[in-house]
Amino acid sequence: MTDAVPPPTVPPRPAQRPSERLFHGDRFVDPYAWLLDPDDPEVLPHLRQENAWTEAQTADQGDLREAIFGEIKRRTQETDLSVPVRDGAWWYLTRTEEGQAYPIHCRIPDDGTRTAPVDDPAAEQVVLDPNPMADAGEYLGLGVFDVSPDGRWLAYGIDRAGDERHLLRFRDLTTGDETADAVADVSYGFAWAADSATCWYTLIDEAERPHEVWRHVVGTDPARDVRVFHEADERFHVSVGSSRSGDVAVIGAGSAVTSESWLLDARDPTADPVVVAAREQGVEYSIAHRRDELWIVSNHGDADDFALWRAPLDGVRTAPIDAWELVLPHRLGRRLNGVEAFAGHLVVHGREGGATALWLLDPAGGDLRPFEMDDAVGTLAPGANPSFDATTYRFSYQSLATPPSVIDQDVATGERTVRKRLAVLDGFDAANYATAREWATADDGTQVPISIVWRPDAVPADSPAPCVLYGYGAYEITMDPWFSIARLSLLDRGVAFAIAHVRGGGELGRHWYEDGKFGAKAHSFSDLVACARHLCATGRTAPEVLAIRGGSAGGLLVGAATNLAPEQFRAVVAEVPFVDPLTTMLDPTLPLTVIEWEEWGDPLHDPEAYGWLKAYSPYENVRDGEGSAYPAILATAGLNDPRVGYHEPTKWVAQLRDHGHRALLKVELGAGHGGPTGRYDAWRDEAFVLAFLLRELGVA
């Protein structure tokens, strides 16, 4: 059997089966609502026809795709190893090998010197090699990956479909044998107890929501597992994880704006969990355990950008909030995101001045020192630091033009050691690329930051340069500057790349997020248009050579911006785009809808929320082609996507064509939200997108 269909000569047109929607006095007829049902006999054939049409329409880009794939491959050091990380009696690392799609997870015994081992494959023990588990093109997602405290057991979870439901297995690393016990429908959360035999995991419900924590003993029948936590509120996701100290595990229950944590005694795993602080609507907190205290980052008490407290502990019982000690007060513009606790120090994560920040905190004296970096446009991020007794702190640094570096900083002296910088082959020289931070003025006068990278000797000297503008703008997620080997295939061809840090993200603190959600969500879309117009007004680019790209909620961003100002763009790439938000938010039976009401609004019960979603939904606001020609559009989807249903981009593309616009749809029939998993498949997927952009921008 094959999925191949004859090359089409006209775009696929799904049947129109009008379905009426009536809410709050508004009537909408949806001709493509039936595409929601993957069991409908016409759905899969239609998706295959879409793929065939897209392949036929881009067939002339085949050589360009192969060239870009080859460039990515040549620039990548395929046989490589990560910086070893000490955890317990072992040093852990990953090894990649030429021709192998997935990293191989290995470890080397610690010789007692606490010095990272040299590259010695003979000394390595393979913990997990995913490569024999999947053939080329097959989906293979690794969710849980956790070694027990004594180093004996590996717990790992495999997703074979892209639906983020994992089969949890246990491997004895002393023998290589696996136990008979296996648990299905496991999410990402996992924690070991101190006995290295008991563990906790999370299960997913029918709405794709991690909602329960269960306790398991390795080697026993999962039917005997004990449920230790259940979250009945559909707005909340549940997670579980180990503390760095090893004394407790933490259950987290969180919605978009509210959180609650519970402590499990890792040394008494059959004991019931104990709440840290009872949930309060709109109050969020995260915790780190250290000896007989918790360190808590929270926005309670009107700390909009969050503050840091120390809370006494009695076993796993936390002192009441009024007994917490304020250590770092709230300061507007300094967003605290979290804290890590170690035996002798703490590290605070956050943002300041629109950039990432890390601070070293002395728990005894309260001294706070920033991790200083030279380039304000770069990105600092925590590294792997599993050891509670560590005296160095590992972090990473990268920018749009600088490959990621792994850096160790001595906590006492501040001395830094660069352990590894991502190797970029084939003559790469970071000095050939330039970066900048500029500010666009939004419609309401707000200044919106833009991060830009380009190759000065490749961009046109006497005309605007082709440019790809990227954005996201939701969930307070930040799109901080990151390095990409694949992106070099754009830059070296004279295409600039920019990130629009629009409202709805977290780049400038909590207010930046809140000014781009609910009734203010339209700011995200107008901000993206303002950034595009700024880049054109300053001569960097022009509408006829400007493309926009975004995925998931970023797909909503570029879809709505296209409706808002279609004349501003030449091409659009919307990956697994959330482009039918009103229909989805009206259906509480769909996965994640109730959870998402705290991000987008509840149009089912709130007429005002219905109104603002109706006003910007890309699917419901497509303009007619005559007089408002749209840019060329490429949308992608994953048939097994549990986050954004494949039907949303499928319906949107059909609607675009109905209004006279040119749109293509590429559907992964065996994957989910993240697309292909193996690195070679992922490179080919990216090469497809880049070839589309280059051709539409007139570069190749």
Side-chain angles (χ1 to χ4, degrees), residues 290-368:
R290 183 176 179 270
R291 299 193 183 101
D292 56 355
E293 62 191 19
L294 289 181
W295 290 79
I296 303 173
V297 170
S298 176
N299 65 338
H300 82 263
D302 297 323
D304 289 347
D305 278 339
F306 291 64
L308 176 67
W309 282 265
R310 174 171 21 201
L313 268 182
D314 179 9
V316 292
R317 297 192 178 277
T318 312
I321 289 180
D322 58 11
W324 295 3
E325 174 193 354
L326 181 61
V327 179
L328 293 180
H330 170 254
R331 191 173 79 199
L332 194 63
R334 182 184 68 183
R335 175 67 160 93
L336 303 185
N337 291 329
V339 62
E340 296 180 87
F342 299 85
H345 65 281
L346 295 105
V347 175
V348 181
H349 311 157
R351 309 185 61 81
E352 196 163 30
T356 53
L358 296 170
W359 296 274
L360 182 67
L361 177 65
D362 177 1
D367 180 50
L368 187 70

Side-chain angles (χ1 to χ4, degrees), residues 589-614:
T589 68
L590 290 177
L592 308 181
T593 288
V594 175
I595 296 170
E596 296 288 323
W597 281 345
E598 288 189 342
E599 177 70 24
W600 309 102
D602 174 8
L604 184 61
H605 305 99
D606 182 357
E608 186 179 13
Y610 183 96
W612 68 57
L613 279 157
K614 173 82 172 179

